[in-house]
Structure formats: C-alpha cells, structure tokens
Amino acid sequence: MKSDIIIIGAGPAGLGLARALADTGLCITLIEKQKADILADPPLDGRDIALTHDSLRIMKEMGMLKSIPKNEIAPICQAQVFSGDSSYFLGFDTKGTGKDALGFLVPNNAIRKAAWDVVQPFANISIRTEAEVKQVSTTATGGTVVLTTGERLAAPLIVAADSRFSSTRKQMGIPASLTDFGRVAIVCRMTHSKPHDSVAKECFFDAWTLAILPLLGKKSSIVITLPADEADAVMQMPLEAFNGRIERNLGAALGKMRLTGERYAYPLVAVYATRFAAQRFVLIGDAAVGMHPVTAHGYNLGLGGADRLAQEIRKAISLGLDIGDSTVLDSYARAHRRASAFLYHGTNILVKLFTDHRRGALALRNLALRVGNHLPPFRKYVTRQLTGKAA
Amino acid sequence: MSSIDPVEIARFSSHAAEWWDPNGALRPLHRLNPVRIAYARDHVCAHFKRPSGAKDALKGLSWLDVGCGGGLLCEPLARLGASVTGLDASAEAIEAARAHAQNMDLTIDYRCGAVEEMEDETYDVISALEILEHVTDPAAFLHSVAQRLKPNGILLLSTLNRSAKGFLLGIVAAEYILRWVPRGTHDWRKFIRPSELQAMLKEAGLEMQDLTGMRLDPLNGAFCLTQNIGVNYLSTACRTSF
C-alpha cells in the first residue's frame, strides 16, 4: 500500500502532525501498537500536562480544544521554586506578559482523546491500530515499512513518533544520548482543605522533589520524584501515612491532604537524538527529544515540533518540492534543534543541581534561587517559554 | 551555431550520478532550489495574474527549462501543474533526469540538445537558471531563447555578478574556502553584470522587469532573497511592447 506520509506512533505528536496536515489532501497512514478503543477513550494515567500559550494556540487551530471539557482546564497563575524546607522561593508570575495565566493544566488522557477525535473526520488519514513495525528502510527515492504481519507499506516520507525508546530511530542508525536519572516519578491527585490560589510549587528536598500543580477547586496534581529504590515503598505506603507525608513536606501550606484515585509510577529517562532527520526519515515528539518532566516542556516541545514539521511540509508542497527531500527535513531539524537544545540541556543541568545531596550543591542551589530572582533576563526567558512571544 | 561550451558540458556530465544526491557535488543547487522556485512561481503567477498559493499554481502553463541538468527545477514545476520541457546538452544529465522523474511518477519531456536547435515550439515560460555564466556567447543564447518565448511569455534568468564581491563569494569562498562547489565550476570572467544582462536582453527584443539578489543566510544555511545583487541574482524579462 502506498501513502504520502507514514507516521509511526499515534500518540499526541503523531496525531498532531496528521491533523496539522489534514487539509493538504496528503494521504497519511499512522501505525500504532495499541487498540483503537484505548486510543479513542484513554484511561486516566495520573499525568496532568502543563500547556503553554503556544500549545494552546496550536491545539485551538487543530480543533483539539473544543473536545476538552472546560472543567478539565486549570490555569497556573504563579510558579514558585523552593529549596528544602526554606521558605525562600524563586517566583514567576504573569506580570508584564499581558496574560492571565503562565500556562494551563490539562489531564493527559483528555489531550490524547482530543488528538484522536480531531483526526477522525478526515478520509485521507488512516490509522492502523494493533499494528507493529518490524522494519523500516529508506532509499533515495522512497521509504518502506514492513509490519510484523509481513505487510509492506511505502511512502516518500516516514515519520517516527514512537516514544523516547523509538525502535525505528535505532533501526535507521540515528544515535541518541540517553540520561537515566535512576529516579522515578510518582504522580497522583490529591484534595486539600486550603485553596492553592492557582500557584504551582516545585519543592526540592534532598532526595525527593515534590511538585504541586493546581487543578480546579481544592485539588492538585502531585508529582513526587525520588530515587528508584524508594519508589516501591511510596507506591505501597498506606493511605494515611502517604497523606501525612505529603502534608508534612508542604509544611501544611495546603492544609489537610487526601489522596484521590491511584498512584502511578514512571521511570525518569531523558533522551536527545543526535540527528532529527535521515534520508526520507524524520523524528518528532519524544523520539526526537524526550524531556525530564520537571520543567513541564515535553508535551509542548512535541506539539511545537509536529507543528514545525507540518509548516515545512506545507511550504514544500507550495513549492512543488518532494516532501521527503532533505532540504525540507533539514530545515525542520535545524529549527527544532534551536527550539529544544537549550531547554533540554538546561533542564538536565537543573535536575542534577537540584537532586545532588552534597553540601556544595545545596549551597549552590540556594544561591541559584536568589540569583534567579534578581536576574530579570532569566525570569523573562522562563516566562516567555510559557506565555509565548506575543507577550 | 550553438552557444554550448563542450568543456562545461563535460564537467556537468561527470556529476550526472550525483544530481539528486543532496549531499553530493551539487549540494549548493539543492540549497538554492527552494528560493529560486519561490521566485519563479511568484513572478510567473503575477505575470499571468493567477494566485500563487494553490497546489497547482502553474497548471496549464507550457514551460521550457533550458540547462535543466538532472531536473532539480523541472520536477517541482511539474508537481505544481506546469507542462515542462527540460533541455540540456549533457546526455548523461538528461538520462539521470528521465530516470528520476520516472521514479517520482512525473511526466516531463526531457530532451538532449541546444536551444538554438529548437524550431517552431514556443512557451509561456522559459527559465535558464545558473546557465548564462556557463555558455560561450550569452547574447546569442538569449537571442535564441527569445525566439522560443510566446508573445505574452515570461523569461526567468539567474546568474552571478562580475563584481569584486561576486569574485570573493562566488569563487574564493564557494570554491576554495567553503568548498561548496568543485574548483573550476565557475569562471569569473564569464559572470555577467546586471547592466550587461539588461543590454543583451534589449538586443534580443526583451525588457528586464525585475532584478533581485540571492544570499546565503548563515544562521540556517538556506538561501533567501535580498535587494543586494552583488553576487547571485535573479531576473525576469518580457517582450518589449511596441
């Protein structure tokens, strides 16, 4: 079977790219391991995604925002970073941005459902679910994907959006640098007796970090990152003990805390591909850049990248260029590298600094918070990443 | 009499296998391609008063690309709907162009020969990009090209300026420092000043309509249009109205 583009992986980046190109009339085939009913109605996975204003704009253009219930979108008006039990914090707010919120929290499963919903009306987008890729190969004139069933699919351009552990990236010989933090993120939702005032908090203790992300009402999304060997104990911790532990860590700032629903554990691994493009093959989403979640840029970068590639492909169509041409893929790769390199490496340095137990590191991060607070360009950079350039 | 230079043809024939290798000897042409297609598309659409944004912006236009090489320009034009004839003096280039178009499922009329040898046929659009600096007699060449242009047709040209900057960037930087193109690709003495081009066009009964420079954007490694015509430049011309 022949298409114009084969996208491997029907996650948010893959579906986002397909939707962004839907009206070009290109024949797009997505290949996805999971079942259609799971993609159409993804279960809760405990993750809440912090969306920047840019992401929100792209989602609106794609029609995704319509399919996310209003009561699932919560604004973040301020962000505060704490070191240890100290009450001193590095703060970010919307002052001078002309926006009401730094960003918005939306449950991951609602985003996934919306991404699935918006591609359904398009006859030129077909999704092969429960399909697994056995082999990918490309030549100067085209690409071929062989499924485990032996079926062969062909297209002039193949896009990998198959997670940070992308097997097709490996098959195409693109190396990636991988950082295993040896840590696990445990995510859950909690209700609390005091209001959060739409303030997101990131607290760095010696071995733990704790992020409080404000949902609507007296409810927050909690992200605990901790050494992998301590994760099981926290996952199994009895309810009362768990509630008490989080309450104490927050110095009772939110009053009485209560876990609602499940706890979910995710190992923390960050990945950066050394190249984003090869012959008739291009990486998007986590397959290109898999971020550590602490700066909340993974999803935003993935969506921005899909949008960027879609723009390059549209430009190629308007010039009559072959969409798999290396000039097309290289311009995307250069732009996406510019958009991601500093954020990726900056985030990893930050994570190292803030999870280092040594005394020197503690002093350094306390200093970093103070310096950060008094460094307008730094604060402006962070705020702009969230609220967009229109500010 | 043809203005084809056998030495030039032998040089380009030796690259035939590499025409479509974006990292091969013709890499600069691949880089140049998007900006020159955009220029060609926009000026042709404006000339024929049609919208330039459509997927088939060039539908129905007969287009002759002189010195088409491996078809780097012909293929995009064909995708945009033009009926394209590609002409090149190198049999090897024409062979490479035909094979590639077939792989891409495109119908393009490729011919090996010189524009001076063509008879009868006329075209809505004729392009001769990066060609003038490789022919023996550009004035005679333009005269022959003008014969093939329909009364309301448009001619697209691009070449290098015989200026000090053209020498520094087009020869010293491109061939010796950056090594983007093989040494000896260009001969500075064959570069053409815009004023000379204008005079030659006039001799051929054509009037220069536009003059736009091209330059490399060092930040993203792509070419873009500029007002500065000191090095590479593009031009359009139409028949002089009587």
Side-chain angles (χ1 to χ4, degrees), chain B residues 179-214:
Chain B
R179 303 203 181 156
W180 279 346
V181 289
R183 281 182 199 182
T185 298
H186 289 120
D187 176 351
W188 184 73
R189 290 163 300 177
K190 287 169 127 185
F191 288 7
I192 295 163
R193 293 199 183 110
S195 56
E196 295 166 345
L197 180 62
Q198 189 168 21
M200 284 189 277
L201 285 168
K202 204 171 171 191
E203 271 307 294
L206 300 170
E207 193 173 357
M208 187 185 276
Q209 303 280 323
D210 181 76
L211 203 54
T212 301
M214 275 188 288

mmCIF file of all heavy atoms in Angstrom, chain B residues 179-214:
data_model
loop_
_atom_site.group_PDB
_atom_site.id
_atom_site.type_symbol
_atom_site.label_atom_id
_atom_site.label_comp_id
_atom_site.label_asym_id
_atom_site.label_seq_id
_atom_site.Cartn_x
_atom_site.Cartn_y
_atom_site.Cartn_z
ATOM 1 N N ARG B 179 34.399 25.270 -0.063
ATOM 2 C CA ARG B 179 34.389 24.102 -0.952
ATOM 3 C C ARG B 179 32.981 23.550 -1.170
ATOM 4 O O ARG B 179 32.754 22.349 -1.106
ATOM 5 C CB ARG B 179 35.319 22.995 -0.424
ATOM 6 C CG ARG B 179 36.710 23.548 -0.268
ATOM 7 C CD ARG B 179 37.758 22.483 -0.301
ATOM 8 N NE ARG B 179 39.062 23.122 -0.115
ATOM 9 C CZ ARG B 179 40.119 22.511 0.348
ATOM 10 N NH1 ARG B 179 40.053 21.236 0.652
ATOM 11 N NH2 ARG B 179 41.248 23.162 0.487
ATOM 12 N N TRP B 180 32.039 24.474 -1.375
ATOM 13 C CA TRP B 180 30.667 24.062 -1.655
ATOM 14 C C TRP B 180 30.535 23.492 -3.048
ATOM 15 O O TRP B 180 29.759 22.607 -3.305
ATOM 16 C CB TRP B 180 29.731 25.256 -1.536
ATOM 17 C CG TRP B 180 29.357 25.557 -0.154
ATOM 18 C CD1 TRP B 180 29.533 24.764 0.945
ATOM 19 C CD2 TRP B 180 28.733 26.740 0.310
ATOM 20 N NE1 TRP B 180 29.059 25.381 2.054
ATOM 21 C CE2 TRP B 180 28.567 26.596 1.693
ATOM 22 C CE3 TRP B 180 28.295 27.900 -0.316
ATOM 23 C CZ2 TRP B 180 27.964 27.578 2.465
ATOM 24 C CZ3 TRP B 180 27.707 28.866 0.447
ATOM 25 C CH2 TRP B 180 27.538 28.714 1.829
ATOM 26 N N VAL B 181 31.289 24.097 -3.971
ATOM 27 C CA VAL B 181 31.251 23.612 -5.344
ATOM 28 C C VAL B 181 32.679 23.267 -5.747
ATOM 29 O O VAL B 181 33.627 23.868 -5.255
ATOM 30 C CB VAL B 181 30.653 24.670 -6.316
ATOM 31 C CG1 VAL B 181 29.168 24.817 -6.085
ATOM 32 C CG2 VAL B 181 31.328 26.008 -6.175
ATOM 33 N N PRO B 182 32.842 22.266 -6.619
ATOM 34 C CA PRO B 182 34.195 21.866 -7.027
ATOM 35 C C PRO B 182 34.940 23.039 -7.650
ATOM 36 O O PRO B 182 34.327 23.875 -8.330
ATOM 37 C CB PRO B 182 33.943 20.771 -8.063
ATOM 38 C CG PRO B 182 32.546 20.310 -7.840
ATOM 39 C CD PRO B 182 31.805 21.468 -7.287
ATOM 40 N N ARG B 183 36.239 23.090 -7.420
ATOM 41 C CA ARG B 183 37.065 24.146 -8.026
ATOM 42 C C ARG B 183 36.904 24.109 -9.530
ATOM 43 O O ARG B 183 36.845 23.041 -10.127
ATOM 44 C CB ARG B 183 38.531 23.920 -7.675
ATOM 45 C CG ARG B 183 38.839 24.380 -6.293
ATOM 46 C CD ARG B 183 40.293 24.193 -5.973
ATOM 47 N NE ARG B 183 40.421 24.225 -4.528
ATOM 48 C CZ ARG B 183 41.572 24.132 -3.886
ATOM 49 N NH1 ARG B 183 42.685 23.973 -4.545
ATOM 50 N NH2 ARG B 183 41.611 24.174 -2.580
ATOM 51 N N GLY B 184 36.822 25.268 -10.125
ATOM 52 C CA GLY B 184 36.699 25.338 -11.575
ATOM 53 C C GLY B 184 35.262 25.294 -12.062
ATOM 54 O O GLY B 184 35.009 25.331 -13.256
ATOM 55 N N THR B 185 34.292 25.207 -11.145
ATOM 56 C CA THR B 185 32.887 25.213 -11.557
ATOM 57 C C THR B 185 32.572 26.517 -12.291
ATOM 58 O O THR B 185 31.885 26.530 -13.299
ATOM 59 C CB THR B 185 31.966 25.075 -10.331
ATOM 60 O OG1 THR B 185 32.224 23.826 -9.713
ATOM 61 C CG2 THR B 185 30.496 25.135 -10.736
ATOM 62 N N HIS B 186 33.088 27.605 -11.747
ATOM 63 C CA HIS B 186 32.793 28.908 -12.329
ATOM 64 C C HIS B 186 34.058 29.617 -12.810
ATOM 65 O O HIS B 186 35.126 29.437 -12.250
ATOM 66 C CB HIS B 186 32.074 29.793 -11.309
ATOM 67 C CG HIS B 186 30.677 29.352 -11.049
ATOM 68 N ND1 HIS B 186 30.231 28.981 -9.797
ATOM 69 C CD2 HIS B 186 29.621 29.217 -11.880
ATOM 70 C CE1 HIS B 186 28.962 28.636 -9.876
ATOM 71 N NE2 HIS B 186 28.552 28.768 -11.116
ATOM 72 N N ASP B 187 33.874 30.410 -13.860
ATOM 73 C CA ASP B 187 34.953 31.247 -14.367
ATOM 74 C C ASP B 187 34.467 32.686 -14.204
ATOM 75 O O ASP B 187 33.491 33.089 -14.826
ATOM 76 C CB ASP B 187 35.200 30.899 -15.850
ATOM 77 C CG ASP B 187 36.258 31.797 -16.474
ATOM 78 O OD1 ASP B 187 36.676 32.794 -15.828
ATOM 79 O OD2 ASP B 187 36.661 31.503 -17.613
ATOM 80 N N TRP B 188 35.152 33.446 -13.360
ATOM 81 C CA TRP B 188 34.676 34.776 -13.011
ATOM 82 C C TRP B 188 34.480 35.661 -14.241
ATOM 83 O O TRP B 188 33.578 36.484 -14.310
ATOM 84 C CB TRP B 188 35.670 35.442 -12.039
ATOM 85 C CG TRP B 188 35.225 36.789 -11.547
ATOM 86 C CD1 TRP B 188 34.238 37.041 -10.653
ATOM 87 C CD2 TRP B 188 35.751 38.057 -11.923
ATOM 88 N NE1 TRP B 188 34.112 38.381 -10.438
ATOM 89 C CE2 TRP B 188 35.036 39.040 -11.212
ATOM 90 C CE3 TRP B 188 36.774 38.473 -12.798
ATOM 91 C CZ2 TRP B 188 35.291 40.407 -11.333
ATOM 92 C CZ3 TRP B 188 37.022 39.835 -12.913
ATOM 93 C CH2 TRP B 188 36.281 40.778 -12.194
ATOM 94 N N ARG B 189 35.350 35.421 -15.251
ATOM 95 C CA ARG B 189 35.272 36.262 -16.453
ATOM 96 C C ARG B 189 33.960 36.081 -17.194
ATOM 97 O O ARG B 189 33.550 36.920 -17.984
ATOM 98 C CB ARG B 189 36.463 35.950 -17.383
ATOM 99 C CG ARG B 189 37.788 36.434 -16.820
ATOM 100 C CD ARG B 189 38.944 35.769 -17.534
ATOM 101 N NE ARG B 189 38.884 34.313 -17.388
ATOM 102 C CZ ARG B 189 39.747 33.478 -17.966
ATOM 103 N NH1 ARG B 189 40.704 33.925 -18.743
ATOM 104 N NH2 ARG B 189 39.634 32.178 -17.784
ATOM 105 N N LYS B 190 33.290 34.913 -16.938
ATOM 106 C CA LYS B 190 32.019 34.664 -17.618
ATOM 107 C C LYS B 190 30.822 35.175 -16.814
ATOM 108 O O LYS B 190 29.683 35.078 -17.271
ATOM 109 C CB LYS B 190 31.868 33.167 -17.886
ATOM 110 C CG LYS B 190 32.774 32.663 -19.008
ATOM 111 C CD LYS B 190 32.760 31.156 -19.027
ATOM 112 C CE LYS B 190 32.418 30.599 -20.384
ATOM 113 N NZ LYS B 190 32.311 29.131 -20.330
ATOM 114 N N PHE B 191 31.078 35.690 -15.636
ATOM 115 C CA PHE B 191 29.982 36.270 -14.841
ATOM 116 C C PHE B 191 29.465 37.508 -15.566
ATOM 117 O O PHE B 191 30.169 38.111 -16.381
ATOM 118 C CB PHE B 191 30.469 36.668 -13.441
ATOM 119 C CG PHE B 191 30.742 35.492 -12.526
ATOM 120 C CD1 PHE B 191 30.687 34.180 -12.993
ATOM 121 C CD2 PHE B 191 31.045 35.704 -11.186
ATOM 122 C CE1 PHE B 191 30.948 33.106 -12.147
ATOM 123 C CE2 PHE B 191 31.305 34.638 -10.337
ATOM 124 C CZ PHE B 191 31.261 33.341 -10.812
ATOM 125 N N ILE B 192 28.221 37.893 -15.273
ATOM 126 C CA ILE B 192 27.571 38.958 -16.038
ATOM 127 C C ILE B 192 27.041 40.049 -15.119
ATOM 128 O O ILE B 192 26.361 39.760 -14.134
ATOM 129 C CB ILE B 192 26.415 38.350 -16.876
ATOM 130 C CG1 ILE B 192 27.000 37.384 -17.907
ATOM 131 C CG2 ILE B 192 25.583 39.437 -17.549
ATOM 132 C CD1 ILE B 192 25.990 36.443 -18.491
ATOM 133 N N ARG B 193 27.359 41.281 -15.460
ATOM 134 C CA ARG B 193 26.840 42.407 -14.676
ATOM 135 C C ARG B 193 25.372 42.629 -15.050
ATOM 136 O O ARG B 193 25.007 42.471 -16.222
ATOM 137 C CB ARG B 193 27.633 43.675 -14.967
ATOM 138 C CG ARG B 193 29.052 43.608 -14.472
ATOM 139 C CD ARG B 193 29.667 45.004 -14.357
ATOM 140 N NE ARG B 193 31.052 44.897 -13.941
ATOM 141 C CZ ARG B 193 32.092 45.163 -14.734
ATOM 142 N NH1 ARG B 193 31.894 45.595 -15.957
ATOM 143 N NH2 ARG B 193 33.320 45.032 -14.280
ATOM 144 N N PRO B 194 24.554 43.036 -14.111
ATOM 145 C CA PRO B 194 23.131 43.267 -14.409
ATOM 146 C C PRO B 194 22.937 44.240 -15.572
ATOM 147 O O PRO B 194 22.036 44.040 -16.394
ATOM 148 C CB PRO B 194 22.589 43.841 -13.100
ATOM 149 C CG PRO B 194 23.479 43.279 -12.050
ATOM 150 C CD PRO B 194 24.847 43.176 -12.670
ATOM 151 N N SER B 195 23.805 45.264 -15.665
ATOM 152 C CA SER B 195 23.660 46.238 -16.760
ATOM 153 C C SER B 195 23.918 45.566 -18.106
ATOM 154 O O SER B 195 23.265 45.861 -19.110
ATOM 155 C CB SER B 195 24.634 47.401 -16.553
ATOM 156 O OG SER B 195 25.953 46.896 -16.453
ATOM 157 N N GLU B 196 24.890 44.642 -18.120
ATOM 158 C CA GLU B 196 25.185 43.898 -19.352
ATOM 159 C C GLU B 196 24.014 42.998 -19.724
ATOM 160 O O GLU B 196 23.652 42.874 -20.892
ATOM 161 C CB GLU B 196 26.448 43.042 -19.165
ATOM 162 C CG GLU B 196 27.700 43.869 -18.950
ATOM 163 C CD GLU B 196 28.874 43.041 -18.422
ATOM 164 O OE1 GLU B 196 28.653 41.895 -17.965
ATOM 165 O OE2 GLU B 196 29.995 43.544 -18.457
ATOM 166 N N LEU B 197 23.424 42.379 -18.710
ATOM 167 C CA LEU B 197 22.284 41.500 -18.962
ATOM 168 C C LEU B 197 21.139 42.302 -19.569
ATOM 169 O O LEU B 197 20.506 41.887 -20.547
ATOM 170 C CB LEU B 197 21.836 40.823 -17.657
ATOM 171 C CG LEU B 197 20.640 39.878 -17.795
ATOM 172 C CD1 LEU B 197 20.960 38.715 -18.730
ATOM 173 C CD2 LEU B 197 20.208 39.332 -16.443
ATOM 174 N N GLN B 198 20.912 43.470 -18.979
ATOM 175 C CA GLN B 198 19.824 44.327 -19.467
ATOM 176 C C GLN B 198 20.043 44.688 -20.946
ATOM 177 O O GLN B 198 19.113 44.622 -21.752
ATOM 178 C CB GLN B 198 19.749 45.592 -18.617
ATOM 179 C CG GLN B 198 18.514 46.418 -18.920
ATOM 180 C CD GLN B 198 18.310 47.507 -17.887
ATOM 181 O OE1 GLN B 198 19.243 47.893 -17.184
ATOM 182 N NE2 GLN B 198 17.085 47.989 -17.786
ATOM 183 N N ALA B 199 21.294 45.026 -21.293
ATOM 184 C CA ALA B 199 21.613 45.395 -22.687
ATOM 185 C C ALA B 199 21.424 44.209 -23.625
ATOM 186 O O ALA B 199 20.859 44.348 -24.713
ATOM 187 C CB ALA B 199 23.049 45.916 -22.757
ATOM 188 N N MET B 200 21.862 43.025 -23.178
ATOM 189 C CA MET B 200 21.728 41.828 -24.026
ATOM 190 C C MET B 200 20.258 41.469 -24.227
ATOM 191 O O MET B 200 19.858 41.057 -25.318
ATOM 192 C CB MET B 200 22.460 40.644 -23.387
ATOM 193 C CG MET B 200 23.971 40.712 -23.524
ATOM 194 S SD MET B 200 24.748 39.163 -22.988
ATOM 195 C CE MET B 200 24.815 39.389 -21.225
ATOM 196 N N LEU B 201 19.474 41.628 -23.173
ATOM 197 C CA LEU B 201 18.038 41.343 -23.285
ATOM 198 C C LEU B 201 17.398 42.283 -24.302
ATOM 199 O O LEU B 201 16.592 41.876 -25.135
ATOM 200 C CB LEU B 201 17.350 41.484 -21.907
ATOM 201 C CG LEU B 201 17.610 40.355 -20.912
ATOM 202 C CD1 LEU B 201 17.136 40.750 -19.514
ATOM 203 C CD2 LEU B 201 16.911 39.063 -21.342
ATOM 204 N N LYS B 202 17.793 43.531 -24.236
ATOM 205 C CA LYS B 202 17.240 44.548 -25.123
ATOM 206 C C LYS B 202 17.540 44.197 -26.581
ATOM 207 O O LYS B 202 16.672 44.273 -27.455
ATOM 208 C CB LYS B 202 17.833 45.919 -24.765
ATOM 209 C CG LYS B 202 16.961 47.074 -25.187
ATOM 210 C CD LYS B 202 17.484 48.368 -24.612
ATOM 211 C CE LYS B 202 16.737 49.535 -25.229
ATOM 212 N NZ LYS B 202 17.377 50.816 -24.914
ATOM 213 N N GLU B 203 18.791 43.780 -26.817
ATOM 214 C CA GLU B 203 19.212 43.325 -28.145
ATOM 215 C C GLU B 203 18.325 42.198 -28.652
ATOM 216 O O GLU B 203 18.043 42.088 -29.842
ATOM 217 C CB GLU B 203 20.663 42.805 -28.097
ATOM 218 C CG GLU B 203 21.735 43.838 -28.335
ATOM 219 C CD GLU B 203 21.524 44.618 -29.623
ATOM 220 O OE1 GLU B 203 21.616 44.001 -30.700
ATOM 221 O OE2 GLU B 203 21.245 45.831 -29.554
ATOM 222 N N ALA B 204 17.892 41.325 -27.695
ATOM 223 C CA ALA B 204 17.084 40.157 -28.057
ATOM 224 C C ALA B 204 15.603 40.496 -28.123
ATOM 225 O O ALA B 204 14.768 39.613 -28.283
ATOM 226 C CB ALA B 204 17.344 39.028 -27.060
ATOM 227 N N GLY B 205 15.263 41.787 -27.970
ATOM 228 C CA GLY B 205 13.859 42.201 -28.039
ATOM 229 C C GLY B 205 13.107 41.990 -26.735
ATOM 230 O O GLY B 205 11.881 41.882 -26.716
ATOM 231 N N LEU B 206 13.863 41.900 -25.637
ATOM 232 C CA LEU B 206 13.226 41.673 -24.337
ATOM 233 C C LEU B 206 13.502 42.831 -23.401
ATOM 234 O O LEU B 206 14.496 43.546 -23.547
ATOM 235 C CB LEU B 206 13.754 40.381 -23.714
ATOM 236 C CG LEU B 206 13.530 39.097 -24.510
ATOM 237 C CD1 LEU B 206 14.317 37.948 -23.886
ATOM 238 C CD2 LEU B 206 12.049 38.740 -24.583
ATOM 239 N N GLU B 207 12.623 42.968 -22.431
ATOM 240 C CA GLU B 207 12.771 44.052 -21.477
ATOM 241 C C GLU B 207 12.887 43.470 -20.072
ATOM 242 O O GLU B 207 12.055 42.654 -19.665
ATOM 243 C CB GLU B 207 11.530 44.945 -21.556
ATOM 244 C CG GLU B 207 11.714 46.257 -20.852
ATOM 245 C CD GLU B 207 10.521 47.184 -21.114
ATOM 246 O OE1 GLU B 207 9.612 46.784 -21.883
ATOM 247 O OE2 GLU B 207 10.499 48.262 -20.544
ATOM 248 N N MET B 208 13.915 43.872 -19.348
ATOM 249 C CA MET B 208 14.098 43.386 -17.982
ATOM 250 C C MET B 208 12.998 43.962 -17.095
ATOM 251 O O MET B 208 12.739 45.164 -17.117
ATOM 252 C CB MET B 208 15.477 43.800 -17.466
ATOM 253 C CG MET B 208 15.822 43.182 -16.113
ATOM 254 S SD MET B 208 17.386 43.801 -15.465
ATOM 255 C CE MET B 208 18.544 42.739 -16.297
ATOM 256 N N GLN B 209 12.352 43.087 -16.324
ATOM 257 C CA GLN B 209 11.235 43.542 -15.472
ATOM 258 C C GLN B 209 11.626 43.606 -14.003
ATOM 259 O O GLN B 209 11.141 44.441 -13.267
ATOM 260 C CB GLN B 209 10.052 42.572 -15.603
ATOM 261 C CG GLN B 209 9.554 42.382 -17.007
ATOM 262 C CD GLN B 209 8.661 43.523 -17.437
ATOM 263 O OE1 GLN B 209 7.893 44.035 -16.634
ATOM 264 N NE2 GLN B 209 8.758 43.929 -18.691
ATOM 265 N N ASP B 210 12.457 42.661 -13.593
ATOM 266 C CA ASP B 210 12.780 42.585 -12.159
ATOM 267 C C ASP B 210 14.224 42.140 -11.992
ATOM 268 O O ASP B 210 14.768 41.421 -12.835
ATOM 269 C CB ASP B 210 11.858 41.574 -11.465
ATOM 270 C CG ASP B 210 12.146 41.476 -9.973
ATOM 271 O OD1 ASP B 210 11.732 42.392 -9.240
ATOM 272 O OD2 ASP B 210 12.817 40.506 -9.543
ATOM 273 N N LEU B 211 14.812 42.585 -10.894
ATOM 274 C CA LEU B 211 16.188 42.220 -10.567
ATOM 275 C C LEU B 211 16.222 42.016 -9.053
ATOM 276 O O LEU B 211 15.920 42.940 -8.297
ATOM 277 C CB LEU B 211 17.097 43.376 -10.990
ATOM 278 C CG LEU B 211 18.562 43.110 -11.258
ATOM 279 C CD1 LEU B 211 18.762 42.002 -12.270
ATOM 280 C CD2 LEU B 211 19.232 44.395 -11.745
ATOM 281 N N THR B 212 16.509 40.812 -8.617
ATOM 282 C CA THR B 212 16.511 40.510 -7.177
ATOM 283 C C THR B 212 17.746 39.694 -6.838
ATOM 284 O O THR B 212 18.107 38.782 -7.586
ATOM 285 C CB THR B 212 15.245 39.707 -6.791
ATOM 286 O OG1 THR B 212 14.094 40.480 -7.122
ATOM 287 C CG2 THR B 212 15.206 39.387 -5.304
ATOM 288 N N GLY B 213 18.386 40.007 -5.718
ATOM 289 C CA GLY B 213 19.573 39.264 -5.304
ATOM 290 C C GLY B 213 19.223 38.031 -4.493
ATOM 291 O O GLY B 213 18.103 37.885 -4.011
ATOM 292 N N MET B 214 20.189 37.136 -4.392
ATOM 293 C CA MET B 214 20.055 35.976 -3.508
ATOM 294 C C MET B 214 21.269 35.964 -2.615
ATOM 295 O O MET B 214 22.372 36.247 -3.060
ATOM 296 C CB MET B 214 20.051 34.680 -4.327
ATOM 297 C CG MET B 214 18.716 34.273 -4.876
ATOM 298 S SD MET B 214 18.825 32.636 -5.597
ATOM 299 C CE MET B 214 19.773 32.937 -7.071
#
